[in-house]
Every structure is written in structure tokens, then in C-alpha cells.
Amino acid sequence: MPVTLAHRPGARQRPNYPLSKGIESLPGGYLGGMESDEDRHDRTDHEIELLAERLWAWSREPDGERGPELGPLAEAGFAVDGGVARYGSGRPCVALLLPSDRHREFGHNLVAAAVLGAALATAATLESGSVVVTDRAGDEIDAVLTFQPGVHTWAAAPLAARTELRVTVHGNSGPAPEDSTDAVAGLVQVFTAIAALRARLPAGAAVQGIVTHGGESTDVVPDFAEARFGLRAPDSATLGHVVTEVTTAAEGAAMATGTKANVERFGPIHARFQDNPVLSGHFARHLAACGIHASPSGSAAIPGRPEVGDLSVRMPTIHPSVALHDPVRAVGSRAFAEATGSPRAQTVLLATASALARTASDLLAHPALVRQAWDNFADRARRGG
């Protein structure tokens, strides 16, 4: 049966948009009380309801590393170039951010379907400006909108500064076991040392590792072993401190076993997410209108796409969390992947698609809201985040 919505009634300089005539802004950036807005929201919700079965079918497509198909957008008149789909032209320009994969354990299948639905609904009500759907927003974007299924409903989901380290341990395969130094034994000691290190990490910091290579044969003492460690911290300075601590611990632990550890950065350093409260408050009100109410955001960082943090320090960005499962079943788990096929997941999919589309259409209809978002962004940048 169709599922219906719960309710229908470096940082760049901000763009110098004039305030729309006749628009009066209430606290928090909400542009309310206008019949034309209500009509547009109703049309947006209606488009999502018409798409409901297709959106759910898209969310159930096989998961994996491949990104979402943009074919449905091309069929609707979007200009598709590589991994970017665009509808309309000029500014304001709002980006709806896709995940680069469809991993169910992180709810990315729901994000992809909600973003596609929001884009189609926004295009149906578009009168000026442009909407872009991509997994990598570039320049000339005025706002970035996305979300993350989670275990809490927060208007602004905290994402920590993060990076990854590759640790390679080198031993020696001698002619006899007693002449060898075991690289895997050295790597085990590295994990032990880092486990002990966690107790004295700064508040909000975390280290999690996986073994990526542990030898080729049980008949040969391995002379090479490798692991990757993900590091998170509340800010970039603290993250740098954690990198130093992990590097020192790894090198010392390997040395104690007669092996040698090399530690190198694996990928970039990703910035801590900077919420734009003008946009996140706007989204939260629309989400509430669709039957899902956000609670005050917690302080603990949640799993999320690191590129969102990088975008947030360049332009106004939102990354809300919408509860899909209870806190006992962590994002990234098998139970969470199974929850993406639940009735609750259908509710979250349609509500977030509608809230994203409403927010995008408001930005496109009212450049004044874009200006408020950029004013808030600039003010936060001046205050250092």
C-alpha cells in the first residue's frame, strides 16, 4: 500500500543577494505566514506522495560501492553530466548531496532515495534558480542539504574531525623461526598499545582499527603486516594531538617486539561539521510538519560522511540525523541495515524527502533566506567556528 506523509496542510564570500520584496523574516530564518509558501509546500508534499512507491523501490535496490543512478532525474528533465544532475539555471543554487555508495548499514540507500525524491519534488515547484544533485558539491553552490539515518533525531548531527592512518609493521623471515621477527606479533602489540592509549585520549576523541594484511601462509613467519586506524576528535587541533599519540604508541610497541612500524596518513584530514542553524532550524520545522520532531542535539559525534564536514566549512550546510533505530543498534551494524527495510524506514524516507524538498524550494523562492544563511555562516567563521 502507498505510504503517505503524516501531515500535509576555504570559505567563500557569501553571495550578495538582495532581500526579496515583501518578505519579513522571523527569528531563526523562518519565512512564514505566506499563502504562496503554504501552497508550494502542499505541492511539494503531493509530489512526494506520488513518488512514494518509486522511492521505496529505489531504496531497496542492491547495496554496495556503486553510487545512485541518476537516470530518473534525466527522465524528469535534469541535465546530467557525469555524477552531477542539474535542473534550472542561475542562482540561488541548492545542492542535494548524495552518498557515494549504497551501504545499508549506514542507511545510505535511504539517503539516496530521499535525495532523488526531494530533487524531483523541488524541480516540480521550481520558479527560479537551480537545484543540483551530486555526491561532491563544488563552487557556485549556495547551500548543501542532506541527512543521515541514525538512532537519534537531531536537527544538527555532530560530525567530528577525522582522518585515517596506515600502520605497516616490518619483521624478518629467517631460515628458522628463532631467527625471525614476527610482523603480526608486532602488529598485535600495536593494537594492544593503542587500546591502552584510549583511556587517556581527550574527551570526544576515538581510535578504531582494522587489520588489512596479516600474512600469506601459516607455514611462514610473516615479515609484513598492515592495519588502518580511523581517528576522530572534536576539532582539528585535537585530532593532530591524537595522530601524534597514536604514531608514538605504534612505533614504540613494534620496537618492543623487534619489528619496525611505519605510520603514514591514509587520505585527507576531514573538518569537523559546522552546522548552519538558519537552515537546520528551517529543516527541523518542516520535518516536524511531516510528523517527526527533533530533540536537542547531543555532543557525541556520530558516524557520517566525512565530506559533509569539509563542505560545511566552505558553505552553509545541514546534516541532520533522523532516528531509524533505537540507540542499542548502532549505525554500521547488521541490525541497522535490516532496519532500513522496516515500516519506520518508510516513514523516515518520505518525511525527510519532503522536508529536504520544502527547505530547498524555500531557499530557491526566497533569496532572503539564502542571505540569512550566509550571514550566519560568515559570523561563525569570524568567531572561529
Side-chain angles (χ1 to χ4, degrees), residues 32-50:
M34 297 185 64
E35 184 178 359
S36 60
D37 283 353
E38 293 174 1
D39 290 343
R40 178 164 35 78
H41 295 160
D42 282 345
R43 286 190 291 130
T44 297
D45 291 350
H46 182 62
E47 291 294 329
I48 296 298
E49 289 182 355
L50 293 176

Side-chain angles (χ1 to χ4, degrees), residues 10-385:
R12 299 183 291 116
Q13 295 289 324
R14 71 161 171 80
N16 187 25
Y17 292 125
L19 288 171
S20 296
K21 294 181 180 179
I23 302 290
E24 293 185 358
S25 302
L26 298 178
Y30 180 66
L31 305 169
M34 297 185 64
E35 184 178 359
S36 60
D37 283 353
E38 293 174 1
D39 290 343
R40 178 164 35 78
H41 295 160
D42 282 345
R43 286 190 291 130
T44 297
D45 291 350
H46 182 62
E47 291 294 329
I48 296 298
E49 289 182 355
L50 293 176
L51 290 165
E53 291 186 355
R54 293 179 68 192
L55 297 184
W56 184 243
W58 291 340
S59 77
R60 307 315 299 155
E61 291 179 357
D63 61 356
E65 295 297 332
R66 67 184 182 86
E69 298 291 340
L70 298 180
L73 299 183
E75 294 171 5
F78 280 71
V80 178
D81 183 9
V84 180
R86 180 184 293 269
Y87 193 93
S89 62
R91 310 285 285 276
C93 181
V94 177
L96 291 161
L97 193 68
L98 286 165
S100 58
D101 58 53
R102 298 180 63 86
H103 290 164
R104 295 182 191 278
E105 64 269 26
F106 294 101
H108 289 176
N109 54 321
L110 294 176
V111 178
V115 164
L116 292 178
L120 292 169
T122 302
T125 61
L126 182 67
E127 296 181 358
S128 62
S130 55
V131 58
V132 169
V133 180
T134 180
D135 63 355
R136 52 185 188 284
D139 293 333
E140 305 304 314
I141 300 294
D142 295 307
V144 176
L145 311 179
T146 192
F147 84 104
Q148 172 65 48
V151 296
H152 303 283
T153 299
W154 292 335
L159 293 177
R162 62 183 69 186
T163 193
E164 287 196 10
L165 298 179
R166 178 193 284 121
V167 178
T168 56
V169 178
H170 302 268
N172 176 53
S173 294
E178 59 270 19
D179 299 320
S180 303
T181 52
D182 188 340
V184 171
L187 187 61
V188 169
Q189 192 65 28
V190 168
F191 272 86
T192 301
I194 291 176
L197 172 65
R198 291 191 180 101
R200 63 174 191 273
L201 288 176
V207 181
Q208 181 65 44
I210 59 171
V211 175
T212 53
H213 186 85
E216 303 290 345
S217 170
T218 58
D219 294 324
V220 178
V221 175
D223 59 4
F224 174 80
E226 181 184 79
R228 276 169 42 196
F229 292 89
L231 283 60
R232 301 197 308 269
D235 53 64
S236 297
T238 304
L239 183 64
H241 172 72
V242 176
V243 168
T244 300
E245 290 284 333
V246 169
T247 300
T248 301
E251 292 174 345
M255 187 180 301
T257 62
T259 58
K260 180 181 179 180
N262 292 326
V263 182
E264 58 183 343
R265 190 73 47 74
F266 185 79
I269 293 179
H270 295 287
R272 176 173 66 95
F273 173 66
Q274 303 284 335
D275 177 53
N276 188 280
V278 171
L279 299 184
S280 61
H282 210 71
F283 172 87
R285 282 184 285 272
H286 287 316
L287 189 66
C290 296
I292 299 178
H293 298 267
S295 58
S297 299
S299 58
I302 67 167
R305 290 171 284 159
E307 67 272 15
V308 177
D310 297 338
L311 288 170
S312 74
V313 298
R314 293 172 45 207
M315 60 193 72
T317 302
I318 63 168
H319 182 264
S321 170
V322 183
L324 189 65
H325 214 313
D326 62 82
V328 176
R329 303 289 187 261
V331 177
S333 68
R334 181 177 299 178
F336 196 86
E338 294 173 352
T340 66
S342 67
R344 169 66 181 181
Q346 291 181 301
T347 299
V348 168
L349 170 58
L350 296 185
T352 52
S354 182
L356 287 170
R358 282 177 170 218
T359 304
S361 67
D362 285 347
L363 286 161
L364 294 167
H366 300 306
L369 180 59
V370 178
R371 178 170 179 170
Q372 289 173 20
W374 274 97
D375 284 346
N376 180 275
F377 176 88
D379 182 61
R380 171 166 282 193
R382 283 192 297 269
R383 291 185 286 107

